[in-house]
Amino acid sequence: MLKRQNPSAPEHSKDLAADGGALSMSHNDSRSFFNLSQLVLSAGQIKPSPALKHSKTTYFEVEIVDMQSKKQICIVDKVPPASTLLDVKHKFHKACPQWYPSRVGLQLERNGPFLKDSITIQSLAVSSIITLYFTDLGQQVGWTTFFLTEYTGPLLIYLLFYIRLSTIYDQKESRKNFRHPVVHLACFCHCLHYIRHLLETLFVHKFSEGHTPLKNMIKGCAFYWGFTSWIAYYINHPRYTPPSFGHKQVSYAALAFLMCEAGNHFINVALAHQTNSGNRTCFPSPTYNPFTWLFLLVSCPNYTYEAGSWISFTVMTQTLPVGIFAFLMVIQMSLWAQKKHKLYLKRFYPEVRRKAAMIPIIF
């Protein structure tokens, strides 16, 4: 019986290579790819490059349009989300040098309010392009300059009338007539009032918005300086007659004037302290200082004391110009108080709802 002969090993390998060579190579490639994948996975997570991360930052384009003509003035591009409106105004000033930042008024809507400089661009964005309407606010001055100019004028003007310049009064009549003590007291009170305003402007008051139109300063100076000239002319005139009830009327009115001046100062300090401390969650409450107890009755006691000062000054001097000035000041301050009272009601409703604006019960 013949034994069946097996093929030799070399011949068997040759047959496999001839018959299934393609399958063997495919198996080796898969195994190599598997090993490479295992190596990549074992190396950990691949970190993104800084350039890819930076590319995800969103920038905005601010289109500035003239409010009257609706024509595009310029486009401020590549504005970061954290930028404020003041940053946009500075970039706008570089593109249009004739309009410096304090002169630029920007609105989100044509008839809407002017936006504050502290507002961020991201809070205004609905899409990547923001359209803002531009208004030229005119020449601007700082609030500190505004009040210093407005209050320095009355102080100096009154003193010019008090020394009785020869160009204003007749010198013979000035030397002949005796000055009543109320004339000197009125000069002291008037100067004290405006010196207090000047010192509070420099050291007490904090102004949120830095500028106001120049025309407002001109109107304010014309009002204060004009009335001061009229008041000082009559009180310091050689023919000025003292009040009807004499010393008692002058003394009581002067005492009331000084108390109102002190109360006004302490109220302004209390309001400034609230702003500096950043505590805006509640309305200012009275302290141990009795001048601050007026907070229990009205929301704007500084206007109450200011009106009281001019009413007391009217009684002390008993002159028509002071009475007219005091009447106009009471009307103006009552309007300011009503406006502030409405803002306080929105912000501090539980604390302010039972208070009057300036004068208890009446306003």
Side-chain angles (χ1 to χ4, degrees), residues 276-296:
N276 292 337
S277 63
N279 182 18
R280 298 178 180 270
T281 58
C282 59
F283 189 75
S285 57
T287 62
Y288 62 89
N289 188 339
F291 289 103
T292 63
W293 295 351
L294 199 57
F295 273 123
L296 296 172

Side-chain angles (χ1 to χ4, degrees), residues 79-154:
V79 180
S83 296
T84 62
L85 203 65
L86 183 60
D87 299 329
V88 174
K89 289 183 178 182
H90 281 290
K91 292 183 178 181
F92 177 60
H93 173 59
K94 290 182 179 179
C96 304
Q98 67 270 28
W99 292 307
Y100 49 90
S102 62
R103 189 167 181 164
V104 176
L106 296 177
Q107 301 162 274
L108 196 59
E109 300 175 355
R110 288 195 67 202
N111 297 323
F114 290 109
L115 300 173
K116 294 183 178 180
D117 292 344
S118 58
I119 293 179
T120 60
I121 294 300
Q122 192 172 15
S123 63
L124 301 175
V126 179
S127 63
S128 60
I129 300 177
I130 305 171
T131 301
L132 297 177
Y133 294 94
F134 162 76
T135 301
D136 184 9
L137 300 178
Q139 192 170 355
Q140 304 286 299
V141 294
W143 278 110
T144 302
T145 304
F146 175 89
F147 287 114
L148 290 178
T149 306
E150 191 175 68
Y151 297 144
T152 303

Side-chain angles (χ1 to χ4, degrees), residues 246-322:
H247 181 70
K248 288 185 178 181
Q249 179 179 343
V250 173
S251 299
Y252 290 135
L255 180 61
F257 177 88
L258 295 176
M259 290 180 63
C260 289
E261 287 294 303
N264 200 342
H265 172 70
F266 289 120
I267 293 297
N268 288 332
V269 170
L271 293 173
H273 178 71
Q274 179 206 19
T275 303
N276 292 337
S277 63
N279 182 18
R280 298 178 180 270
T281 58
C282 59
F283 189 75
S285 57
T287 62
Y288 62 89
N289 188 339
F291 289 103
T292 63
W293 295 351
L294 199 57
F295 273 123
L296 296 172
L297 301 176
V298 297
S299 59
C300 301
N302 52 329
Y303 293 142
T304 307
Y305 282 122
E306 184 78 8
S309 294
W310 286 111
I311 293 173
S312 303
F313 194 77
T314 303
V315 175
M316 182 178 64
T317 57
Q318 195 175 316
T319 54
L320 181 62
V322 182

Side-chain angles (χ1 to χ4, degrees), residues 5-122:
Q5 194 172 7
N6 292 330
S8 61
E11 291 178 353
H12 180 68
S13 300
K14 188 184 291 184
D15 293 338
L16 288 175
D19 297 336
L23 179 63
S24 176
M25 290 181 66
S26 175
H27 177 73
N28 292 335
D29 291 340
S30 300
R31 189 170 183 179
S32 299
F33 179 77
F34 175 77
N35 293 335
L36 179 62
S37 301
Q38 291 293 327
L39 180 63
V40 171
L41 292 174
S42 63
Q45 192 174 6
I46 300 177
K47 296 182 179 180
S49 61
L52 181 62
K53 185 177 180 181
H54 182 72
S55 64
K56 295 181 180 179
T57 304
T58 304
Y59 291 95
F60 296 96
E61 289 186 357
V62 180
E63 180 189 21
I64 299 179
V65 179
D66 185 78
M67 192 184 69
Q68 300 296 333
S69 62
K70 298 183 182 179
K71 293 182 179 179
Q72 183 188 97
I73 301 176
C74 73
I75 293 180
V76 181
D77 57 352
K78 294 184 179 180
V79 180
S83 296
T84 62
L85 203 65
L86 183 60
D87 299 329
V88 174
K89 289 183 178 182
H90 281 290
K91 292 183 178 181
F92 177 60
H93 173 59
K94 290 182 179 179
C96 304
Q98 67 270 28
W99 292 307
Y100 49 90
S102 62
R103 189 167 181 164
V104 176
L106 296 177
Q107 301 162 274
L108 196 59
E109 300 175 355
R110 288 195 67 202
N111 297 323
F114 290 109
L115 300 173
K116 294 183 178 180
D117 292 344
S118 58
I119 293 179
T120 60
I121 294 300
Q122 192 172 15

